[in-house]
Amino acid sequence: MGITHGDINSIAYEVIIKALEDDRLLELCDVIVYGSSRMAREHGNMMELPEVKFNAIESASDCQPERYNIINVVDDDTELNIGQSTEKAGQAAFAALERAVADLREGDIDVLVTAPINKHNIHSSSFTFPGHTEYLESSLGNPGDALMIMVSDRLKVALVTIHLPIEEVAQHVTRELVENSILRLEESLKADFGIHKPRIAVLSLDPHVGDNGVIGKADAEIVAPAIAEAKAKKVLCFGPYSADGFFGSGAYTKFDGVLAMYHDQGLTPFKLIAGEEGINFTAGLPYVRTSPDHGTAYDIAGKGEADPASMRNAIYKAIDIFRNRRSHAEATANPLRKQNFDRGSDKVPREAKKSNQ
């Protein structure tokens, strides 16, 4: 498991250290933090955090089992400015992310957990993305592959659009995008969470589902047809539902997943319902990536007040998803043994005959 240190002036190191305090994690996986042993030590001393001993290594191939390993990615002249957004903090955050993604791509780590970044100070000519999700899609997948899902034991909410200004949301919501998002959410619920026949609720774009065209026509012309197309492909999806009544009535408890049209429509109720246990998961990529569902929290940085629950859940959920994917791949693999046939032979393997009967 790779863990990136995020923004060095935020609560990131605090929640990482607190989450790693229980070393029973090392019974489940090997751990590499992409950051700085000096930074970790300074944060720990400042807040008198539980002591976590890090083993400094040069590369992922040097990872020692049953120890917390750390790869230094921070320049020696980088200083802490707790609670402040600085250019150096953005550079350190990107250095950790870039190194971890390279190791993920090379197969040196299996899963990635990212601590929170500041979306402003990390921006540069090398990082031109609105957030982690878009960067990871560009680095590890293809356009349209990634799906942001907020995850807790009680609720899973995916987003059709992610980090867009509200004035641009409607023009990006298309019938094709909504249908593809439904299909990707269904696949993730099956492969990543082990739900055999997931039930998916789709939220409306306009208030009150457009009120038969009085408020808007997007749901009748875009969202509802997309749901119908997904249903034709045997997906158990329903809606569109008006978000306020859907969450207010508790209807979300009847579904395995919810598809929201835009960021705050999904994340506001999710964070209220999930509390501190929620995490962010990037579905649709060939690699597992999770993160806490909170930001940098500069206002409490350095005070020892940060709750590590979301970071801890992100770590353990990454392990669960990795295992679920492996089990799903094994369960859905072709059970027929591969055989070589003589050229021109019309013989059919016994297993194939049985499967066709």
Side-chain angles (χ1 to χ4, degrees):
M1 172 180 293
I3 302 175
T4 57
H5 68 173
D7 189 295
I8 59 175
N9 296 324
S10 73
I11 63 170
Y13 267 109
E14 180 182 349
V15 295
I16 290 172
I17 292 171
K18 286 180 176 179
L20 299 184
E21 177 185 5
D22 186 349
D23 59 11
R24 287 179 296 179
L25 173 64
L26 296 174
E27 299 175 8
L28 303 176
C29 66
D30 298 328
V31 176
I32 301 174
V33 174
Y34 292 81
S36 164
S37 53
R38 174 175 63 85
M39 294 286 180
R41 185 169 57 253
E42 290 184 21
H43 276 270
N45 293 338
M46 180 191 314
M47 291 172 278
E48 298 183 351
L49 298 177
E51 183 180 7
V52 174
K53 295 181 179 180
F54 288 102
N55 175 49
I57 58 176
E58 294 295 326
S59 67
S61 60
D62 300 323
C63 178
Q64 296 295 312
E66 300 182 3
R67 300 183 70 179
Y68 289 125
N69 300 272
I70 192 165
I71 294 177
N72 182 54
V73 298
V74 178
D75 293 336
D76 292 338
D77 62 347
T78 301
E79 297 181 356
L80 290 177
N81 292 277
I82 300 299
Q84 299 179 36
S85 173
T86 66
E87 182 179 354
K88 282 288 187 179
Q91 293 171 354
F94 179 63
L97 183 61
E98 184 178 41
R99 179 69 178 272
V101 167
D103 285 350
L104 191 65
R105 192 185 298 115
E106 291 298 317
D108 294 327
I109 58 175
D110 296 302
V111 300
L112 176 63
V113 179
T114 58
I117 58 173
N118 180 304
K119 294 179 176 60
H120 173 71
N121 68 31
I122 197 174
H123 258 257
S124 67
S125 58
S126 300
F127 191 98
T128 58
F129 306 91
H132 273 120
T133 303
E134 294 85 353
Y135 171 77
L136 292 169
E137 180 181 60
S138 175
S139 302
L140 302 173
N142 297 305
D145 282 354
L147 184 69
M148 180 175 172
I149 307 180
M150 307 304 291
V151 177
S152 76
D153 290 339
R154 290 182 286 174
L155 180 63
K156 295 175 179 62
V157 178
L159 303 178
V160 173
T161 63
I162 308 176
H163 299 114
L164 286 177
I166 193 68
E167 63 183 358
E168 297 180 16
V169 168
Q171 67 193 60
H172 281 83
V173 175
T174 65
R175 184 183 303 187
E176 180 182 15
L177 179 59
V178 174
E179 181 187 350
N180 286 341
S181 298
I182 295 171
L183 297 177
R184 284 181 290 154
L185 176 55
E186 185 207 32
E187 177 58 27
S188 178
L189 291 170
K190 289 179 176 179
D192 300 325
F193 300 99
I195 303 172
H196 181 53
K197 292 184 178 180
R199 289 170 52 85
I200 297 171
V202 182
L203 302 183
S204 63
L205 178 61
D206 293 321
H208 309 298
V209 199
D211 265 343
N212 294 316
V214 175
I215 298 178
K217 298 180 180 179
D219 294 299
E221 297 178 355
I222 296 174
V223 181
I227 295 172
E229 289 292 331
K231 281 184 175 179
K233 296 177 181 177
K234 309 301 182 184
V235 179
L236 297 177
C237 55
F238 307 88
Y241 299 106
S242 181
D244 58 346
F246 180 80
F247 288 108
S249 66
Y252 67 89
T253 61
K254 301 176 182 178
F255 296 90
D256 300 298
V258 179
L259 183 66
M261 293 296 116
Y262 55 93
H263 187 278
D264 284 15
Q265 183 188 48
L267 267 65
T268 300
F270 174 84
K271 291 188 177 183
L272 285 169
I273 293 167
E276 298 295 337
E277 71 175 41
I279 71 159
N280 181 355
F281 166 54
T282 306
L285 300 179
Y287 307 92
V288 176
R289 176 261 174 168
T290 64
S291 74
D293 72 349
H294 57 71
T296 53
Y298 288 140
D299 57 323
I300 61 170
K303 298 179 180 179
E305 300 174 1
D307 189 331
S310 186
M311 172 58 80
R312 186 182 298 114
N313 287 343
I315 289 171
Y316 285 97
K317 188 61 69 176
I319 297 171
D320 290 342
I321 293 171
F322 179 79
R323 290 175 172 176
N324 287 340
R325 281 191 178 184
R326 185 168 55 188
S327 297
H328 180 77
E330 292 173 354
T332 57
N334 189 342
L336 301 183
R337 289 183 289 113
K338 293 182 180 180
Q339 299 191 24
N340 294 320
F341 303 104
D342 293 334
R343 186 170 297 175
S345 172
D346 60 355
K347 291 183 178 180
V348 179
R350 180 178 300 174
E351 294 88 347
K353 287 182 178 180
K354 288 181 180 179
S355 66
N356 291 328
Q357 290 176 355

